Every structure is written in structure tokens, then in C-alpha cells.
Amino acid sequence: MTTPRTLEGIVDKIGIGLLGYGTVGSGVGKLLKTNAEDIALATGRPVELRRVLELPGFSHPDLDPALVTDDFDDIIEDPEIDVVIELIGGTGAARDFQLRALRAGKHVVTANKQLLSQHGAELLETAERNGVHLRFEASAVGAVPIIKVLRESLVAAEVETIFGIVNGTTNYMLSAMTETGADYADVLAEAQRLGYAEADPSDDVGGKDAAAKMAIMASIAFHSRVTLGDVAYEGVTRVTALDIAHGRRLGYVCKLLGVARLIDGAVNVRVYPAFIPAAHPLAGVSGAYNAVFLESEAFDKIMLYGPGAGSVPTASAVIGDVISVVNTAKGSFTRNCLCYKDLPFFPSEDVLSRFYLRVRVSDQPGVLARVAAVFGDEGVSIRSMVQEGSGAAADLVFLLHPAREAHLFSALERLRALDEVEGEPGVIRIED
Amino acid sequence: MTTPRTLEGIVDKIGIGLLGYGTVGSGVGKLLKTNAEDIALATGRPVELRRVLELPGFSHPDLDPALVTDDFDDIIEDPEIDVVIELIGGTGAARDFQLRALRAGKHVVTANKQLLSQHGAELLETAERNGVHLRFEASAVGAVPIIKVLRESLVAAEVETIFGIVNGTTNYMLSAMTETGADYADVLAEAQRLGYAEADPSDDVGGKDAAAKMAIMASIAFHSRVTLGDVAYEGVTRVTALDIAHGRRLGYVCKLLGVARLIDGAVNVRVYPAFIPAAHPLAGVSGAYNAVFLESEAFDKIMLYGPGAGSVPTASAVIGDVISVVNTAKGSFTRNCLCYKDLPFFPSEDVLSRFYLRVRVSDQPGVLARVAAVFGDEGVSIRSMVQEGSGAAADLVFLLHPAREAHLFSALERLRALDEVEGEPGVIRIED
């Protein structure tokens, strides 16, 4: 039997400065209190929340008002603060605060995916120059420790593909559209009412949130810098209930996927809505859950699944990072900055993809022949076609063989120009 | 842009001594070679395989014969060896070698689940006393980094339940029994022919392999020592094709589950075959794959999925541990030994479980009443009953409401004693 450990003899505290006491920040405050003993026993050092940066006049029922300050200098100048947790978000003040904290020799833990995916190199290099750690588990997949797994467990496993559902808001919305047949705008309004979507949902529904996460994960997995600007992303704004219903009849479920691949030694990172087979493990991931598949020759595939957001799950990832910082060898030289390769990018227009394509046409003789001729001219080959509806207008639903994306989009442009084609065609990639 | 790093300036090598060059050992040898640069860049130190312990006369096409020794002293006395990787298995020589390596100030990385689950306390305390690390990711779920996630990311998250499929051999066998309707013995023979089951499959089919893994994971998750002897385990040897078929008609799939729970602050760890709903995410985990759910108030649930065994996946976990050892702060005092609690165990007979129960009876008037009376007497309440077959004998298939296990097994004993009951009843727990 092991003798239970006690806190006796543990004196060297870890001082925490917390920037922002909103959804995640208050979750961190709560976990720091309720799990104080576990953290102390896991690290050998008790944690102490010393300062919280918030707006003047801020108060919160769980927070000692004496800890609150609206002056970042109070944090930077406190020699007892070892770790700064940045949860204010954005790329302005947050960047300034992180850089100043790192330069002052303080470790930084953050959930700020937009900042990391746009200014990661600057921040990581600043951390390294100052011999401190920058950790950002909560910037990727919430409570799911994908960053730790990629940067530590699988660092030598040559991950080739990262593939998954990394945005809970759109996953909730697509699940709801699939189940109820409701259209995008109605589901968004309902998601906002229930708190699953923010008042300004554009980062989520436009794919930027998922793109930032994919950039961060791809950088770590491929050891090569990928920024938000390197990610081609589409959101769910053009997904219609009609296309979801057509896909469903064909055995597919629509998900917003993040896909990062090494293709011929080059990096391709994208976010797009895609049809996946109803029996695929990702098809069963619904609501606010996220799931990420990693593929490598070394381990075939690994999947991690869990809540992608939320106050306490995200806070749990932040606390994991605090513990990791304390327990990691200071000065182990590449621990922050693992982007030691400088891989080229693979152009998205050259990627071979499979597509679902729905074209609404006026029901005239010869229309199918004219549509098919466009595909033929562009070298896009048809695997199957179903005509739905009749009368004045019909939907032609095509499943296409793998084609270079440039060819597909060139065909699409010509289809739009045909007199017989009505409205905007539905275009969704198919992933198996 | 980040300047690509080079190996220039890296001189301080990590010397490796490898014990055993079998399935996993040769995988480690291969990965150390092919991923040498990634490992060096991730840790700042290149790895060098300096010695391999094998039987006299051993040779392997990928292995320089000059590295092979049959004398452990060659490894223990080499001051350039920093990390000993133990892959010979068993609890005899392996234990002795691990203890000697730790006492000599060498870190130990191992895949030896039986040794860890039986002598973990001794080994971890020896590591701690000598200021070195003992790592054992590959002893749990193969390439899936569950130990790292539990001991680092989720150390303060108060995991309450670990629940999953942690043995690939039995998962393959149950998948095959479900798909083909074949019986246990035939499927085992086929699994042995294909290399999915060993010549002596008793540790796998009897549940001991899964039990050892559950003991290791539960110890880390609950911060309290759980040894193999604390795990109540059953294997798949009594699962019949008949019961699998009955379960299937009721919407269930049979899986060998490892289940570790905190119940009223006490630990209960078990392995048993169970029916889970066909729509449950674990139901889709087939073949040699493993999957583990973690549950906690902090993050609701997280699932990790991947190959549970195999040469290269397991070797990948070993390499991850080597990197972790090199990168972890020496002397961070609780890093090895996280069992600082001393929780009581919750008796399995007091656990409330749901059961499937199949009783074959001779078709006589009043037999159902007599069987039902036994349940009534023992306080076990019936949720549904289906009678299958007719003529001389029929199967009564019961789904029972949650009952204390002691009550169920007492009812079972009385059923066996009834004249009308033929053969051994089929008993399988139901988990949702």
C-alpha cells in the first residue's frame, strides 16, 4: 500500500494571474477552488489565484473583490505570479498582455484560438526566448486534450491527417436541421435563443472558429507553421435543409469538417461542410460535442471525442495546462516551438474531391444532356444521378467521381450560366 | 515565418537500453530509426539505441548484432544509457530488471501491464526514491495515450467513471460471433489462426489482460492504488452465440467491458461481458480497436479510440513515453506516484446492475410461475420477458430492473436448482 500523501511540506506556491472572469474565467476560478488539493498533490505546489483582471466595477458572487484589478501592471509587477491565464480573447489587448507576461518571465496559458492562429509564431518565439512556456490546449477542442496528445504522445508518430468536427455551434445547428428539416435561419435563431450560438455568430457559422483550431492543430501535428490565413474555410451558411434531405436519402449526414492533410509532403488545411456516411463514427457526434480523428502509418487511426466548449470543460483544459507548465522541465528547448519544418502548402484547387451537386432546372427537353455536357467538357465524371420532382422545375442530384476541385468549380460556373438552371446549385463535398 | 530548426548544436544524446526485441521491441527499434530526427527535434536530444537484451544467439535482420547482449549488467553498467525500455513481459525477470534499472538512476519505460498492475506501488516508489521516471503508457490502451491524458490533462478533473473496450482479442472474437453466429470455440480457433489470439489465450479470453489495464487506469484516475487483485473480472468464455443472438433481437450488442467507478467515494473496478445498445458509440468499435470513455462532472464525457495492440502502435506509445521522460522536470516530486489517496473499495455484490437472463426450461405447465416466484422472493423485478421456442424446451429471456448483484446471483443459484431448468442459464449485464 502507498501511504496517502499530504500537503505537509509543500510551501512553494504557484501564483496565478487571471485575465478575464467571463464564462471560461469563472469556470477556472471555480476549479482552482474545488480542486485545489488535487492540483497541489499532482504538482507538489499549491495554486493561489492572486489577481483577476476585469473592467472597473466588475464583481462576481464567487470572486473575492480584493483580487480584482483593472490594471495589468498589478499582474505583471507581482513577483509571486508565475502563470498568467489569458481569457479575454481577441487579438488586440490579449496579444499585448501575453507578450508582456512572457517577457516578464511568466508562463502563459490561454484559450485564445484567434490570437494563436494569427500570431502564434511571435508568441511562441517570445516564450522560448524568455525561457517560459506558452500553453493553449483550450484553444483547440475544449476539454479534449488534443494538443497535448499531438505535441507529446504522437510527436514522433508522423500524423498525416487530422479530420473532425471542431465547432460545437455548427454541429448543433446541422444536427437540428437534419432532425427537424428546418432551414438555416430558423435553426440559427433557435440556437441563439438557447445559448448555443452567440449574438454575433459569424466566426462560428462562417467557419473561422474551426479554421483557427485546425491551423493550431495542423501546426503541431505537421511541425510546420500553419496560420489562419493558410486555411481555406467555408461555413454552413449555404447549407440548405433541401440538400441535407437529399443527402439523407442517399445515406449521408452533413457535418462541418475540419480537414488537415499532408499531400505529397505539402500541407492542405480546410474547413467545409461535407456529407459523411450515416454509419461513420463522426455521424453520431451530435450537439455541442466535438471529435477529431488522427491518422498515421504508425498507429492507423486514433479518435478523441468530448465537449468542444462550455465553461467548466474549457476551464478543465486550462487547469491541465497550468499543471503541465509547472511539471515541465524549464528550458527543454523545443517545448514551445515545434514548427521546425517549413513545408509548402498544397493548393486546394488541385485536391481531388468527391462532390454531391444539386442543380435545380426548368423541366425542358434536353436539359439533362446540356448539364451532363458541361461535366464532360470539364472532365468531371458522374457516378450517379437522381432526378427529384417534376412539373415546372426538377432537382438533378449528382454524385460525382473524384475530380480536381478546379474542374468542379469551373463546371459549376458554367452550370450557373445555363438558362435552364434556376437558383444556386447545392454543392457539398463527400468524405468517407 | 519560423526558421526551420536543425540538429546543429545538439550533442547531449539519450542512450537507450532495450530489453526484448520481439513484436513490440522490433517496432521500437524501427521507430527509433525512422523517426530519429523528429525525436531529436522534439526533445532537443538525439536518441541512440545502445544495447538490446536478448537470448544468446538472437538475431534480427533490422538489428546490428553488435548491440545484442544476453547480460543485463552490460545495460546497467553503461553510464551512457539513460532510459531502459522493458518489453520482455512477465513478473519475474522483468521486475528484477526494472528495479535494478531504477536504482541505478535510469528512467524506465514499459508496456508490462501485468507487472504494473501487480507490483506498481513498489516500482513507482523505487522510481521516486531514485529521482527517475517510470512510464507505462503502452501498458494500457496501446497507441491511445490514455495514461498521459489521465495523469496530466485530467489530473484535477475528478474522473468518476472509466468505461470501455480495452482488449482487442475478445473484441475481435465477439464481433466475429455477432456477425457469423459462430460459437466461442470456433471463433477462438479462427482468431488464433489469424494471429489475433495467442496460442495460450487465457489472459485475454479470461479477462485478466483487461483487468490489469483497468487497474492501472483506475489507479491514475482515482489517485488511489488499485491492483489486479482488486479487480473482479470475468472473460468471454461463457458467452454463447445463442445469447448474442437473443441480445441482438432486443437491440443490444455484446462487448467485453472494463468498468471502473467511484461509488459513494469508494472504488469498484470490474471486467465483464455486457450488452450495450446497438446505437451506443462503443457498439461500433469492432475488431482489434479499443475505446475508453471517461466521465466527470467537469467535462461530462471524453472518449479516446484507437488500436489497442500491434507492434508499431504499441511502439509508438513507448516512444511517446521516452520523449515525455526526457522533457519532464526531473524531481517534480509526485510525477511518478499519483496514488496519494487511499480510498476504500465498493463491494461488487452491492452494485446495482441491470441484467439479461436466459433460462432454458422444459415446457411444463406452471414453469414460468415458478421461475418468476424465485425472482420475487429475491426482490429482483422483471422489466420484460420473451419466451422463445416451444416443444420440449423453451428459452425464457428476461430483462431485469436494476438489482443488487447479490440478489441476482442468489436468484440464479435457486433457478439452477429447479428441476425444470436445463443447462446453464445465460447471464449478461446490460449497460446503457
Side-chain angles (χ1 to χ4, degrees), chain B residues 120-173:
Chain B
E122 176 189 26
L123 293 162
L124 289 162
E125 282 162 12
T126 304
E128 199 157 312
R129 265 199 308 278
N130 290 279
V132 290
H133 297 297
L134 170 62
R135 290 295 160 92
F136 43 89
E137 187 66 78
S139 71
V141 197
V144 181
I146 183 102
I147 298 293
K148 189 168 196 86
V149 166
L150 284 172
R151 74 187 282 163
E152 300 182 21
S153 302
L154 306 179
V155 67
E158 301 201 329
V159 173
E160 288 141 27
T161 310
I162 310 170
F163 177 96
I165 296 167
V166 297
N167 180 275
T169 303
T170 49
N171 198 46
Y172 167 83
M173 288 175 61

Side-chain angles (χ1 to χ4, degrees), chain A residues 2 4-5 35 38 41-42 44 128 148 152 155-156 289 299-300 302-303 305 307 323 327 333-335 340, chain B residues 4-5 35 38 41-42 44 128 148 152 155-156 225 289 299-300 302-303 305 307 323 327 333-335 340:
Chain A
T2 314
R5 291 186 167 280
N35 296 330
D38 277 340
L41 291 167
E128 199 155 311
K148 186 164 197 89
E152 300 182 20
V155 66
Y289 274 78
F299 56 74
D300 195 9
I302 285 178
M303 195 253 267
Y305 162 98
I323 292 170
N327 278 344
F333 93 138
T334 44
R335 293 290 284 171
Y340 47 77
Chain B
R5 293 187 166 278
N35 296 330
D38 276 341
L41 291 167
E128 199 157 312
K148 189 168 196 86
E152 300 182 21
V155 67
R225 180 76 52 205
Y289 273 78
F299 55 73
D300 196 8
I302 286 178
M303 196 252 268
Y305 162 98
I323 292 169
N327 278 344
F333 90 140
T334 45
R335 294 292 282 170
Y340 48 78

Side-chain angles (χ1 to χ4, degrees), chain A residues 93-104:
Chain A
R95 173 169 163 239
D96 179 48
F97 291 159
Q98 286 199 23
L99 288 170
R100 286 174 62 197
L102 294 168
R103 289 190 194 117

Side-chain angles (χ1 to χ4, degrees), chain A residues 281-324:
Chain A
L282 288 182
V285 176
S286 61
Y289 274 78
N290 285 188
V292 178
F293 270 93
L294 308 172
E295 294 179 353
S296 151
E297 209 187 309
F299 56 74
D300 195 9
K301 49 179 173 261
I302 285 178
M303 195 253 267
L304 292 90
Y305 162 98
S311 168
V312 180
T314 310
S316 162
V318 169
I319 301 292
D321 271 353
V322 171
I323 292 170
S324 171

Side-chain angles (χ1 to χ4, degrees), chain A residues 203-337:
Chain A
D203 275 8
D204 287 318
V205 300
K208 189 178 173 190
D209 174 87
K213 294 170 181 171
M214 292 307 297
I216 294 169
M217 287 190 273
S219 295
I220 309 283
F222 302 150
H223 309 306
S224 190
R225 181 75 51 204
V226 180
T227 68
L228 181 64
D230 301 317
V231 182
Y233 60 90
E234 296 168 43
V236 298
T237 52
R238 285 188 296 186
V239 176
T240 64
L242 177 66
D243 289 318
I244 287 179
H246 279 313
R248 207 174 184 185
R249 274 192 292 275
L250 296 164
Y252 293 113
V253 172
C254 186
K255 295 288 181 186
L256 186 69
L257 294 185
V259 181
R261 285 197 183 99
L262 283 183
I263 307 175
D264 301 336
V267 175
N268 184 265
V269 186
R270 302 203 283 165
V271 173
Y272 46 73
F275 280 135
I276 57 174
H280 191 283
L282 288 182
V285 176
S286 61
Y289 274 78
N290 285 188
V292 178
F293 270 93
L294 308 172
E295 294 179 353
S296 151
E297 209 187 309
F299 56 74
D300 195 9
K301 49 179 173 261
I302 285 178
M303 195 253 267
L304 292 90
Y305 162 98
S311 168
V312 180
T314 310
S316 162
V318 169
I319 301 292
D321 271 353
V322 171
I323 292 170
S324 171
V325 157
V326 178
N327 278 344
T328 302
K330 212 161 180 168
S332 50
F333 93 138
T334 44
R335 293 290 284 171
N336 283 304
C337 207

Side-chain angles (χ1 to χ4, degrees), chain B residues 112-124:
Chain B
N112 193 330
K113 62 188 75 82
Q114 291 303 336
L115 181 60
L116 253 290
S117 68
Q118 291 172 57
H119 300 281
E122 176 189 26
L123 293 162
L124 289 162

